Amino acid sequence: MDKFILGGVEFESRFIMGSGKFDPELISACVDEAKTQIVTLALRRVNKDKNESIIEFIPKNVTLLPNTSGARNADEAVRIARLSRELGCGDFVKIEVIKDSKYLFPDNYETIKATQILAKEGFKVLPYMYPDLNVARELAQAGAAAVMPLAAPIGSNKGLINREIIQILVDEIKLPIIVDAGLGRPSDACLAMEMGCAAVMVNTAIATSKDIRLMAMAFGEAVKAGRNAYLAGLGRVSAKADASSPLTGFLGETNA
Amino acid sequence: MRDRTDHMRYLPSQEVISHEIMDRILGERSNTDFTKFSSDDVLRAIGKENRNIDDFKALLSPAAAPFLEEMAQASKAIKERYFGKNIYLFTPLYIANHCDNHCVYCGFNVHNSIKRAQLDEDAIIKELENIAKSGLQELLILTGESQSKTPVSYIGRACELAKKYFNVVGVEIYPLNSDEYAFLHKCRVDYVTVFQETYNPVKYEKIHLEGNKRIFPYRLNAQERALKGGMRGVAFAALLGIDEWRSDALCTGLHAYLLQAKYPAAEISLSVPRLRPIINNAKINPKDVGERELLQVIMAYRMFLPFANITLSTRENAHFRDNAIRLGVTKVSAGVSVGIGEHGGKNQGDKGDGQFEISDSRDVVAMRASIKNAGLVPVMSDYIYV
Ligand code: SF4
């Protein structure tokens, strides 16, 4: 069986639900229809008041992936991660460091710093990053458990704008590559999986569709289809000309 | 009447910072003719993904009036992209209503004989405890604008106390120098709200007759000084109806836009207060800013600054608020009382009068229910402190 191994833990589903646009209905749709096993969780939404807390809406058999959203530098991200562990949210942590209120792009520099510190403390660190090969290498070296490049600006539903760079990350980085933000259609998710990404994370595309459950199902199926295609090995798109009349066939025809 | 002072000249105690943003805003103000936009300009602006300043002007122009429905569709989609279903809740707490200024449109002004009051520490704690019971996690602390009666040290102490009960604390007080903002930041204040009232300097001069508020550039640059002082967020507003609302909305949006561009980490909020009838001056009425116009402003803000919070206060009625949160507004107040010491429940003799009347008196429970009713999710706080 094809398993998705993340931070030493085995999962069957390669569809991760982001919970930035928190909505209990969305969580149940993803768990039921897309068979998601990992749900991200903004620690800033974990309330002291139990009844209000987002955690109450997440089924117990789902793995929580707490994130550090709200952090504006490495130091804040590190402290949020430690708090998350204290609150019993486990060792997984998705690093999000954002200090741009308009585009919400992650700050790669601060992300590397936070990853270095937290990996040393035994966290399973999943850094959200702006796709860049050098940065991905440094994250791997710092002990990240996966690398999470954004496909397009978060919430944009634009699909794999950063496709070429993400392919390079897939080819060069040994860690799982999880495409994080910007996927808008099931076909985007499918494509990411065909490219060899280990998993995808989706939120807005489902949250803003008219039928949340149906769209969750569509994404779940697309991820599976893409993964299967990747495993099967995509048929080559031939770059070769018709071999029956090769242009280079003349070589060796005379005794040069 | 004695000669009025120069409203463009800083008082000795007031910190001067660069005027580049103010100059740009005032330049755009005088160069904009809203009548020159066509329905084509409006439709182009609606259809775009990233809107520039000209698009923003088109959306505010008279030509946009027939396209409110189209704007609403776009505005709703943008809000969902950036904020999902989240609607943030907060409540204001008035801790004093002393004021040294003379704003002709305001019942708090120095010459009005209203009941003045100021909460001491014990009274503040009582209010905080009472409000905290509602489950709210964000509080906006307000005073009138009196440096003498409510010095920064007093406000800072109130904020420190508030932080014991609330995750997020903002202030809406008189403008400060950046070192004073830094002090409030140390008292763990998160954001600063300053209403410019109007961005028309000529009009501004005529209605702000006395006090520190009279100094137009000092007020306009308050948000930038707040960011220099380390604040996380800043909030902007023009009091719509004081002057031509399109120009004032344009300037407010530009102000926020330019400041965010200069300080990319700044969290931006906009408010959309309309001028309402006030004590001692029932003649002042927001005639020209009806609900259609107000909605146009809200949606133009949403489309030009998709990432910004838009706050709608209880000056507006429940029906309008319940609909506006679907279309562009992301933050609302609940359980509001504008008098001093009113959260304490009991009728105490020292209560001070409120600044304006409220039209939506729903408490937190009712407001949460309405938000859920609209298919949205009430959120008490999105900040985490570690
Ligand atoms: S608007 Fe503010 S500054 Fe002006 S009189 Fe009223 S409370 Fe004072």
Side-chain angles (χ1 to χ4, degrees):
Chain A
M1 258 298 267
D2 172 44
K3 299 275 190 203
F4 170 38
I5 298 173
L6 186 62
V9 182
E10 277 190 6
F11 297 95
E12 284 180 13
S13 167
R14 292 173 180 272
F15 175 86
I16 303 176
M17 195 202 117
S19 65
K21 303 199 168 67
F22 161 60
D23 175 4
E25 169 60 14
L26 184 59
I27 296 175
S28 78
C30 288
V31 172
D32 299 346
E33 311 295 343
K35 306 286 177 255
T36 191
Q37 294 173 305
I38 305 175
V39 172
T40 65
L41 166 75
L43 209 70
R44 58 179 166 176
R45 287 290 173 75
V46 177
N47 266 332
K48 287 159 234 155
D49 176 0
K50 272 237 158 185
N51 296 319
E52 289 295 317
S53 183
I54 185 170
I55 288 188
E56 297 306 302
F57 295 99
I58 299 177
K60 298 288 166 272
N61 56 348
V62 164
T63 299
L64 289 181
L65 175 52
N67 70 44
T68 65
S69 62
R72 288 162 303 166
N73 55 45
D75 186 47
E76 288 177 4
V78 165
R79 283 186 283 156
I80 293 172
R82 288 175 186 153
L83 176 67
S84 148
R85 194 187 243 169
E86 275 169 36
L87 289 175
C89 293
D91 287 339
F92 278 109
V93 65
K94 180 187 164 199
I95 305 293
E96 278 186 43
V97 181
I98 289 166
K99 52 183 180 191
D100 167 37
S101 66
K102 187 171 185 178
Y103 297 101
L104 302 177
F105 285 141
D107 183 309
N108 282 349
Y109 174 72
E110 295 290 321
T111 300
I112 294 169
K113 283 206 287 187
T115 302
Q116 284 165 340
I117 296 167
L118 291 169
K120 274 197 198 112
E121 295 181 10
F123 282 93
K124 295 164 182 174
V125 185
L126 311 175
Y128 173 51
M129 52 103 66
Y130 197 90
D132 177 296
L133 180 58
N134 291 311
V135 174
R137 283 187 179 128
E138 287 201 44
L139 290 169
Q141 208 162 29
V147 175
M148 305 184 77
L150 60 96
I154 189 157
S156 68
N157 288 351
K158 285 202 171 168
L160 285 159
I161 287 181
N162 295 321
R163 177 177 173 177
E164 309 271 324
I165 312 297
I166 290 175
Q167 184 67 63
I168 290 171
L169 299 187
V170 170
D171 294 344
E172 300 300 325
I173 303 292
K174 291 198 178 64
L175 295 171
I177 303 296
I178 303 172
V179 171
D180 192 333
L183 298 182
R185 303 154 177 263
S187 53
D188 299 330
C190 189
L191 175 57
M193 297 308 295
E194 286 172 5
M195 285 163 54
C197 295
V200 300
M201 186 149 120
V202 180
N203 181 261
T204 310
I206 299 176
T208 58
S209 80
K210 287 209 179 83
D211 185 334
I212 288 179
R213 299 196 87 83
L214 199 56
M215 189 56 96
M217 188 190 290
F219 266 97
E221 286 170 1
V223 169
K224 265 191 230 144
R227 178 63 184 177
N228 285 338
Y230 171 75
L231 292 176
L234 291 172
R236 277 190 169 279
V237 178
S238 180
K240 286 189 177 173
D242 187 349
S244 63
S245 54
L247 296 174
T248 49
F250 67 93
L251 292 172
E253 280 175 359
T254 57
N255 290 325
Chain B
M1 189 174 209
R2 72 190 156 87
D3 284 346
R4 301 207 294 255
T5 57
D6 181 356
H7 66 295
M8 297 303 275
R9 186 192 286 144
Y10 285 85
L11 302 177
S13 61
Q14 295 179 333
E15 177 188 358
V16 182
I17 61 170
S18 126
H19 276 190
E20 50 174 346
I21 288 180
M22 183 177 97
D23 293 344
R24 178 84 195 279
I25 296 169
L26 297 184
E28 290 281 355
R29 179 180 186 103
S30 38
N31 293 332
T32 301
D33 174 5
F34 285 103
T35 62
K36 81 173 209 322
F37 293 94
S38 66
S39 48
D40 277 354
D41 295 327
V42 174
L43 288 171
R44 198 175 314 115
I46 293 173
K48 270 193 180 175
E49 189 177 9
N50 297 305
R51 296 169 187 88
N52 59 27
I53 294 171
D54 270 341
D55 297 321
F56 182 41
K57 291 175 180 174
L59 294 172
L60 288 169
S61 75
F67 299 105
L68 288 193
E69 185 55 35
E70 287 80 356
M71 285 175 73
Q73 310 260 350
S75 181
K76 177 172 185 281
I78 292 164
K79 188 175 81 84
E80 284 173 3
R81 172 183 160 186
Y82 280 83
F83 294 89
K85 294 186 187 289
N86 297 341
I87 299 292
Y88 298 95
L89 278 170
F90 77 104
T91 208
L93 170 61
Y94 289 79
I95 57 171
N97 65 2
H98 299 289
C99 192
D100 303 340
N101 290 319
H102 185 188
C103 310
V104 297
Y105 52 85
C106 175
F108 273 16
N109 85 53
V110 66
H111 299 303
N112 261 359
S113 64
I114 59 164
K115 217 180 270 173
R116 302 283 175 179
Q118 174 171 357
L119 301 181
D120 61 17
E121 260 190 60
D122 288 345
I124 290 174
I125 291 171
K126 215 186 257 166
E127 293 282 286
L128 293 171
E129 280 172 351
N130 278 317
I131 298 171
K133 281 184 203 146
S134 66
L136 287 171
Q137 288 183 24
E138 176 171 339
L139 188 73
L140 176 63
I141 291 189
L142 296 98
T143 61
E145 303 200 10
S146 171
Q147 274 106 323
S148 53
K149 300 273 186 3
T150 51
V152 181
S153 55
Y154 165 76
I155 296 167
R157 180 64 189 142
C159 295
E160 270 174 356
L161 291 170
K163 269 290 189 177
K164 295 188 179 153
Y165 299 85
F166 295 89
N167 202 24
V168 183
V169 170
V171 291
E172 188 173 335
I173 56 166
Y174 50 88
L176 306 175
N177 290 345
S178 54
D179 59 336
E180 295 168 309
Y181 282 125
F183 166 75
L184 287 186
H185 181 60
K186 259 182 48 200
C187 299
R188 301 184 52 224
V189 173
D190 298 291
Y191 67 94
V192 168
T193 298
V194 180
F195 288 4
Q196 184 63 25
E197 321 295 14
T198 178
Y199 287 81
N200 176 348
V202 176
K203 181 86 189 190
Y204 188 95
E205 187 277 332
K206 289 194 179 120
I207 57 178
H208 299 107
L209 300 177
E210 293 165 66
N212 289 348
K213 187 169 178 179
R214 184 165 167 77
I215 312 305
F216 180 87
Y218 185 67
R219 193 169 190 89
L220 197 146
N221 287 316
Q223 282 90 350
E224 182 162 359
R225 293 193 305 274
L227 293 173
K228 284 178 187 286
M231 289 294 166
R232 182 166 183 141
V234 282
F236 306 79
L239 188 47
L240 301 169
I242 285 190
D243 193 45
E244 218 284 296
W245 60 269
R246 298 178 206 280
S247 299
D248 271 339
L250 168 66
C251 294
T252 308
L254 268 179
H255 193 181
Y257 171 84
L258 295 170
L259 213 52
Q260 194 278 337
K262 189 166 172 185
Y263 301 85
E267 293 172 4
I268 300 297
S269 297
L270 300 159
S271 295
V272 283
R274 283 194 293 167
L275 197 57
R276 297 301 251 181
I278 54 153
I279 296 171
N280 288 354
N281 201 341
K283 270 182 299 185
I284 294 186
N285 229 316
K287 270 199 274 326
D288 55 343
V289 192
E291 290 190 349
R292 290 187 74 82
E293 290 74 25
L294 180 58
L295 195 61
Q296 187 179 347
V297 171
I298 290 172
M299 297 190 299
Y301 284 168
R302 173 55 60 226
M303 294 166 80
F304 179 55
L305 301 165
F307 52 89
N309 262 304
I310 299 178
T311 304
L312 188 59
S313 82
T314 52
R315 291 183 196 217
E316 302 302 334
N317 66 52
H319 180 70
F320 185 84
R321 295 177 94 214
D322 285 354
N323 283 287
I325 56 174
R326 299 169 201 257
L327 304 181
V329 167
T330 52
K331 195 166 173 181
V332 289
S333 46
V336 176
S337 54
V338 295
I340 312 299
E342 280 187 354
H343 292 281
K346 271 202 295 188
N347 247 358
Q348 291 148 346
D350 62 347
K351 271 197 279 181
D353 289 338
Q355 188 180 17
F356 55 86
E357 282 173 29
I358 60 178
S359 307
D360 179 0
S361 56
R362 283 176 292 180
D363 64 9
V364 176
V365 176
M367 202 61 221
R368 292 180 59 118
S370 299
I371 291 170
K372 286 187 186 152
N373 225 352
L376 300 165
V377 178
V379 176
M380 296 306 204
S381 156
D382 224 353
Y383 281 15
I384 180 166
Y385 286 99
V386 279

